[in-house]
Amino acid sequence: MTDLTQAQVRERIEKGLASRHRKEKLFRGLGIGSIAFGILAVVILFTDIISKGSGAFVQTAIQLEVHYDQQVLGIDKVDDESLTWANFTGVIRQSLRDRFPSVAGRSDKRELYTLISSGAPFTLRDRLAENPDLLGKSERVWLSADDDVDTFVKSLKDSKEGFRGRTSDQKAGWIEQLLESGELKKRFNTTFFTNGDSREPEQAGIRAALMGSLFTLLVTLALSFPIGVAAAIYLEEYAPKNRWTDLIEVNINNLAAVPSIVFGLLGLAIFINFFELPRSAPLVGGLVLTLMTLPTIIISSRAALKAVPPSIRQAAMGMGASRMQVVFHHVLPLAMPGMLTGAIIGMAQALGETAPLLMIGMVAFIVDVPTGVTDPATVLPVQIFLWADSPERAFMERTSAAIMVLLSVLIVMNTSAVLLRKKLERRW
Amino acid sequence: MSTMTLDAAGRTDTAQSEVAGGQLMTNRAAVRETVGQPFCDTAKLRMRNVNVFYGETQAIHSVGLDIGQNEVVAMIGPSGCGKSTFLRCLNRMNDTIEGCRVEGELSLDGDPIYGPKVDVVPLRARVGMVFQKPNPFPKSIYENVAYGPKIHGIASRRADLDEIVENSLRRAGLWNEVKDRLDKPGTGLSGGQQQRLCIARAIAVSPEVILMDEPCSALDPIATARIEELIDELRENYTIAIVTHSMQQAARVSQRTAYFHLGHLVEVNDTETVFTNPEHELTEAYITGRFG
Amino acid sequence: MQTPTLFALLLLLILVAYGTGFRRAVSTARSLGGVRNLAALPSYYGLYTALWCGLPALILLGAWLVFDDAIIRAMVLNSIADKPEMISGQNLLYAQIQNLAAGHLIGEKSPELQSAADYFSLLRSRSNNLQAFLSLVLASGLAAFALLRLSPKLRAREKVEKVLRIALIACACAAILTTVGILLSVLFESLRFFQSVPVTEFLFGLHWSPQMALRADQVGSSGAFGAVPLFTGTLMVSAIAMFVAVPVGLMAAIYLAEYASKRVRSLAKPILEILAGVPTVVYGFFAALTVAPFIRDLATSVGLEASSESALAAGLVMGIMIIPFVSSLSDDVINAVPQSLRDGALGLGSTKSETVRKVVIPAALPGIVGGVLLAVSRAIGETMIVVMAAGLAANLTANPLESVTTVTVQIVTLLVGDQEFDSPKTLAAFALGLMLFISTLVLNFIALHVVKKYREQYD
């Protein structure tokens, strides 16, 4: 073959151009498609959760004329002892029978009683405890409806028929009657934020789980931040370059990628079985999450220390400061914003973690709001996991609502980390 | 402002007085029009009134220049004078820089270089480029040279490809050194060899023009001499524009030399004239080493 | 004395020690004619005293808190060891004793139990008193000792810094301790498990039904601990996840790094990163309640049989979760490819996609492979999505529409709820944990090594 002339080459190039540009467009399209897929996933995920969960922030309530009848209650004065034994359920049933006088027959009556939440008697008890004068008198009170009623009422706006589930035609009739007369309304669901877990969806709330998360995070923060920063300081400012520090470094990087559930196994075997710390306690949860977030915090703290220019260290050393003084007086304050950002991100990671906490028993059914780090508790993600397993439709709504709360907290944490970084970031 | 006027004595009084006042580096008003012979009859590349902007800042101010067929034009000037930027306009490598905007008329054999309908792919095949730092792909020597012909579909058979690779390496003066290790990575060669490999890679697609952006700045003197020889040989077949930092190199390899100063093209003349008898004060100041 | 009160008291002592040391140093300095005549600043003398005062006492207190329960337990159980009817069920018995001592045991109380409970209460209060007494005496004694040693020549700063330095080293070793802790905790329990179930059976057995093995006579003979279905299930879910995450993540990274303008990049990148910040339990919920039913309906509509918990749903959602992980790792390595290589390719007349496909990606390949390996390790170890959406049935199947189970799912199901800690069922979870730990460790190690080597290449 002789040398191709430039003209021949030109011709050959021109021939291939169209298909090459097509491929280019295709490739570019694939890129855009991938981005779009990711963004679409975000949008679908969030709309799905929000559409499922927004309903849980309102709750159906029924207004009843309640007569605090001494006879039905079985008490004659209001004190702690008598309130404990008083039959508020009877009072509510009486009111329901009065409201629907036409209902007769045992089974129909029993169905009538299921309009009101089984937690309503406690509402009445609290009211009476606050106003002892009410004894023997009547008042109109809004009481939480049962979750089936709640689900049915909420589904009415989607379709004429509504989601019936266990709701019979008869019951649906009563509900419509109450709705028309204005004795049934949807109100803000305070229960969701003030109660602990419950078997009854309308009484279930996230307060206990939120407090559990708070205590767990406090333990995690109190341990992982100082330890992480100290480790970073040692590795970045002191450690000689040798095999030992290499080992620590490889170790930290590896730990950052170890599955979280393995940390749960560690917590179970060491903290619970060996040290016999209490099961289900935020203390143990915090310890496990500390070990889990430590690599993240160490890595980000080291990055923050690295970003402080050596000239500052040299300047301080030149003034005769000891190494410790250089670090604590000069380097650390400058690196603090970066370290705090890393800590917030680590905490956000810990807040969303579920699997290792299942291992150490934070999955128990816990109604009481924990008051300390050794009380049995659960955390928000675990609460979501537990509710997601419950068959009631009303729980699905609450699960999504709990997710919305969790995501909001996470968004706040992450945004503040970003803002903190932006605000305090220093360019050298 | 018009660069079309070929007034050889285009200096103004202000320029002279300010030069005399030692304001060489800072005063942009010192340069109004290009002196010397920026244009020629056998123009392969024709540039008129070229302005280049990076965002808001203007990097090139109305430059007009011709590069003739089978001619080596050297572009010299202090760092940051815009010579590399100008070179990168010629095959539109500035497109890859975000915020870079090129204005003016640029044409290759009468075909416009910029314009909505111009396809950069064949343009860059016609105007090849060799960069400051040798940048062989992390592939074998053979694959490095075969890359261009392959993507452009120039060779359809393996034998043709082999021949193109051999010819290109021969022309780049590298064949004898690498013919036994064509399958070894190109990154394993020495710096000078790597740069010649990059030249071989560029000529494998039979370009008409080769742009060289300080091709020897990362090389030792012996490798530099080898490349300079090569440029002289390549002149037979190609038109070459070379940006260089070294005045000696410009003097050795080029027929014409263009002197850039702060984004302005100050003077273009025969290389000999520029180095022995520069017309412009700024050129003289530069080649006599008053700044650089 | 209650522990919190004791802590408060100790803290107070430490503060007093600091103050005394500080003032002693200041007054000494004054008599010598200024602080410059001391070997260190007064605050270091204060810290020196405070460290002597607080550190040993706090260590003692910590050790006490860790070990006192176990010692009391051993002593109480020992005291009733001669009564054979109470030997069995020690845990329950001890819990009863504790409850009785705390005064809220409902039910019958045997005199033996009562006396044991009394003994427990006695020990408890003695332990508390002794702990308070010893730590306070230690703290004040050592503080006094330190004060006696204070002199203008004492190099207090160096001594304080030495202690601090040791504390820093100890913190840096926490990572090593964690790894050792993980290894010890999974290794020992696994060894115990392999005593009852042979390793070969665990690794190569085809049947997994740990529930069967609850009956003691069946352990090891039922063949119920064959983990192969778990491994295949894990691999299938991870493979589906990778099938989604690698192309999408990689293409997204390429687009952002090579094509997108600054504006698009600054918008799209944070949105993609939201996916990384969503907790896994949320993905699990999404997979179980939205994606799985959708896939089932879709499969049914084209005439396919699909389980309501399918490997596909779990894998798909896991893939979405991993997209930002793959894309940010790939973004890093793609950006590390020098611009000069791109220029070289573009200068020859390559289109952008040719540059990316033929030059940038081959150059970045080691880094990308490393990133993908890290992503695989993540997929294997991911728990909540599969627990909520993949199912529990240990099917040995290649059909992604069927429900499968994974190693992590089994660890969770075996360990959630109350079990005897010694049953093979519980121990099996640790054996699975060991497998998980080893495989992810190997993957991480290779991946980190590859990425490190890659970075060095272009540094």
Side-chain angles (χ1 to χ4, degrees), chain A residues 96-243:
Chain A
L96 281 168
R97 281 198 302 273
D98 294 347
R99 175 63 184 79
F100 297 100
S102 59
V103 178
R106 279 178 71 89
S107 64
D108 284 357
K109 277 185 184 165
R110 204 176 300 141
E111 194 172 7
L112 182 65
Y113 300 154
T114 61
L115 279 175
I116 296 289
S117 159
S118 58
F122 298 106
T123 317
L124 289 188
R125 189 190 67 192
D126 293 347
R127 281 198 69 78
L128 194 58
E130 270 174 42
N131 315 297
D133 303 344
L134 281 172
L135 189 64
K137 297 194 185 110
S138 295
E139 65 165 343
R140 292 192 76 83
V141 190
W142 285 100
L143 293 172
S144 292
D146 188 65
D147 63 299
D148 287 335
V149 178
D150 191 46
T151 307
F152 173 68
V153 170
K154 280 173 186 165
S155 65
L156 277 177
K157 76 170 183 286
D158 298 333
S159 64
K160 199 92 188 93
E161 265 298 290
F163 175 80
R164 283 296 176 82
R166 286 182 292 184
T167 312
S168 66
D169 289 349
Q170 188 183 4
K171 202 167 164 185
W174 295 331
I175 294 172
E176 267 154 31
Q177 215 177 313
L178 286 169
L179 201 56
E180 275 163 32
S181 62
E183 286 165 293
L184 188 149
K185 69 165 183 186
K186 284 185 262 179
R187 60 177 182 186
F188 181 70
N189 187 358
T190 45
T191 319
F192 185 67
F193 295 98
T194 55
N195 271 25
D197 196 6
S198 168
R199 298 282 184 222
E200 300 296 328
E202 76 276 5
Q203 292 174 52
I206 54 169
R207 173 109 187 275
L210 269 180
M211 290 309 284
S213 277
L214 181 70
F215 283 125
T216 310
L217 274 196
L218 281 180
V219 173
T220 311
L221 184 65
L223 290 172
S224 65
F225 189 59
I227 297 181
V229 170
I233 290 177
Y234 178 72
L235 291 175
E236 204 54 45
E237 306 284 331
Y238 284 91
K241 255 283 169 227
N242 59 23
R243 293 177 88 178

Side-chain angles (χ1 to χ4, degrees), chain B:
Chain B
M1 167 175 159
S2 162
T3 46
M4 295 301 193
T5 46
L6 298 178
D7 181 9
R11 281 172 287 172
T12 59
D13 291 343
T14 41
Q16 269 178 331
S17 62
E18 301 221 359
V19 166
Q23 302 285 313
L24 285 172
M25 297 292 288
T26 50
N27 201 319
R28 280 157 193 258
V31 188
R32 282 280 161 81
E33 280 167 22
T34 306
V35 299
Q37 285 114 35
F39 310 128
C40 63
D41 303 331
T42 58
K44 180 83 186 169
L45 280 162
R46 216 178 109 94
M47 282 76 71
R48 293 293 180 273
N49 206 11
V50 176
N51 291 294
V52 181
F53 303 85
Y54 289 119
E56 293 299 303
T57 30
Q58 188 165 5
I60 298 285
H61 301 261
S62 18
V63 167
L65 180 67
D66 281 347
I67 297 174
Q69 186 83 39
N70 293 36
E71 179 188 41
V72 178
V73 172
M75 299 173 188
I76 59 170
S79 349
C81 66
K83 52 193 192 298
S84 282
T85 302
F86 181 70
L87 190 78
R88 288 170 69 97
C89 291
L90 305 187
N91 70 344
R92 292 185 59 174
M93 282 305 284
N94 280 335
D95 289 12
T96 59
I97 297 165
E98 224 170 296
C100 180
R101 189 157 49 86
V102 178
E103 286 172 3
E105 303 156 33
L106 296 94
S107 60
L108 169 64
D109 274 343
D111 305 330
I113 291 176
Y114 284 81
K117 290 210 177 120
V118 178
D119 187 351
V120 295
V121 171
L123 169 76
R124 288 183 187 151
R126 289 174 72 185
V127 185
M129 186 154 187
V130 176
F131 297 85
Q132 189 169 359
K133 237 181 83 189
N135 57 353
F137 302 136
K139 298 168 184 275
S140 72
I141 294 171
Y142 183 94
E143 287 297 326
N144 260 288
V145 183
Y147 177 84
K150 265 189 185 170
I151 57 160
H152 288 300
I154 293 169
S156 42
R157 289 173 304 153
R158 176 79 188 186
D160 296 353
L161 201 58
D162 286 350
E163 199 174 332
I164 293 176
V165 170
E166 184 180 337
N167 282 340
S168 309
L169 284 169
R170 274 190 197 284
R171 280 197 197 158
L174 196 62
W175 176 250
N176 288 330
E177 291 161 61
V178 301
K179 63 181 174 201
D180 300 325
R181 45 172 176 152
L182 289 175
D183 55 343
K184 296 284 183 306
T187 44
L189 297 172
S190 73
Q193 288 174 323
Q194 284 190 15
Q195 196 61 299
R196 276 182 282 147
L197 177 63
C198 291
I199 293 173
R201 188 176 67 185
I203 57 185
V205 292
S206 311
E208 295 156 38
V209 181
I210 301 176
L211 309 176
M212 295 188 174
D213 188 0
E214 303 192 31
C216 302
S217 67
L219 304 182
D220 61 66
I222 295 170
T224 302
R226 189 74 193 78
I227 301 272
E228 285 177 9
E229 265 172 54
L230 181 58
I231 291 171
D232 217 39
E233 291 162 20
L234 290 174
R235 185 160 64 93
E236 273 181 48
N237 297 306
Y238 309 98
T239 302
I240 296 174
I242 179 171
V243 164
T244 175
H245 219 79
S246 144
M247 285 177 272
Q248 290 86 340
Q249 184 169 67
R252 283 192 296 263
V253 301
S254 69
Q255 279 77 55
R256 279 199 304 149
T257 295
Y259 173 67
F260 282 79
H261 186 92
L262 294 173
H264 297 269
L265 181 54
V266 176
E267 175 172 351
V268 185
N269 258 324
D270 285 348
T271 300
E272 215 185 318
T273 317
V274 169
F275 286 102
T276 53
N277 187 21
E279 280 183 42
H280 200 288
E281 302 269 342
L282 281 168
T283 319
E284 190 184 352
Y286 180 69
I287 61 166
T288 53
R290 296 232 295 278
F291 57 82

Side-chain angles (χ1 to χ4, degrees), chain A residues 313-330:
Chain A
R313 294 182 185 84
Q314 283 154 9
M317 295 262 206
M319 299 289 290
S322 75
R323 208 166 194 181
M324 197 67 74
Q325 286 166 330
V326 171
V327 171
F328 283 91
H329 297 173
H330 300 280

Side-chain angles (χ1 to χ4, degrees), chain A residues 1-6 9-10 12-14 16-17 20-21, chain B residues 119 121 125-126 151-152 154 160 163 167 171 205-208:
Chain A
M1 187 182 106
T2 51
D3 257 6
L4 290 163
T5 63
Q6 285 173 343
V9 167
R10 213 97 303 132
R12 291 191 184 182
I13 292 177
E14 291 293 337
L17 275 180
R20 286 168 71 194
H21 283 305
Chain B
D119 187 351
V121 171
R126 289 174 72 185
I151 57 160
H152 288 300
I154 293 169
D160 296 353
E163 199 174 332
N167 282 340
R171 280 197 197 158
V205 292
S206 311
E208 295 156 38

Side-chain angles (χ1 to χ4, degrees), chain C residues 316-386:
Chain C
L316 204 66
V317 174
M318 198 191 282
I320 291 175
M321 180 188 86
I322 296 177
I323 288 173
F325 191 71
V326 173
S327 79
S328 76
L329 283 173
S330 316
D331 196 44
D332 284 354
V333 294
I334 287 173
N335 280 326
V337 172
Q339 181 63 30
S340 66
L341 287 184
R342 290 188 189 83
D343 283 350
L346 290 172
L348 285 169
S350 312
T351 61
K352 238 175 184 176
S353 66
E354 284 161 353
T355 310
V356 171
R357 280 186 291 128
K358 304 215 166 109
V359 176
V360 177
I361 296 295
L365 200 60
I368 292 173
V369 169
V372 169
L373 285 182
L374 279 181
V376 171
S377 130
R378 198 156 221 233
I380 289 177
E382 171 47 42
T383 309
M384 294 321 292
I385 295 178
V386 277

Side-chain angles (χ1 to χ4, degrees), chain C residues 224-415:
Chain C
F225 284 106
V228 169
L230 273 55
F231 298 150
T232 55
T234 307
L235 286 182
M236 174 147 72
V237 175
S238 307
I240 295 171
M242 287 300 119
F243 199 71
V244 175
V246 172
V248 176
L250 191 57
M251 281 311 294
I254 288 173
Y255 186 81
L256 288 178
E258 305 285 338
Y259 285 95
S261 67
K262 246 189 198 137
R263 252 178 66 87
V264 172
R265 201 162 38 230
S266 67
L267 275 173
K269 233 178 157 172
I271 295 182
L272 282 185
E273 263 154 29
I274 290 178
L275 285 176
V278 173
T280 53
V281 69
V282 177
Y283 281 112
F285 178 74
F286 182 63
L289 273 96
T290 306
V291 179
F294 176 74
I295 287 178
R296 192 192 48 215
D297 296 347
L298 201 69
T300 321
S301 70
V302 295
L304 283 171
E305 199 62 37
S307 148
S308 62
E309 291 174 320
S310 62
L312 190 58
L316 204 66
V317 174
M318 198 191 282
I320 291 175
M321 180 188 86
I322 296 177
I323 288 173
F325 191 71
V326 173
S327 79
S328 76
L329 283 173
S330 316
D331 196 44
D332 284 354
V333 294
I334 287 173
N335 280 326
V337 172
Q339 181 63 30
S340 66
L341 287 184
R342 290 188 189 83
D343 283 350
L346 290 172
L348 285 169
S350 312
T351 61
K352 238 175 184 176
S353 66
E354 284 161 353
T355 310
V356 171
R357 280 186 291 128
K358 304 215 166 109
V359 176
V360 177
I361 296 295
L365 200 60
I368 292 173
V369 169
V372 169
L373 285 182
L374 279 181
V376 171
S377 130
R378 198 156 221 233
I380 289 177
E382 171 47 42
T383 309
M384 294 321 292
I385 295 178
V386 277
V387 165
M388 294 168 86
L392 292 171
N395 289 328
L396 194 55
T397 173
N399 180 359
L401 293 173
E402 263 184 73
S403 106
V404 296
T405 194
T406 71
V407 173
T408 48
V409 171
Q410 288 305 316
I411 295 177
V412 169
T413 39
L414 292 176
L415 286 181

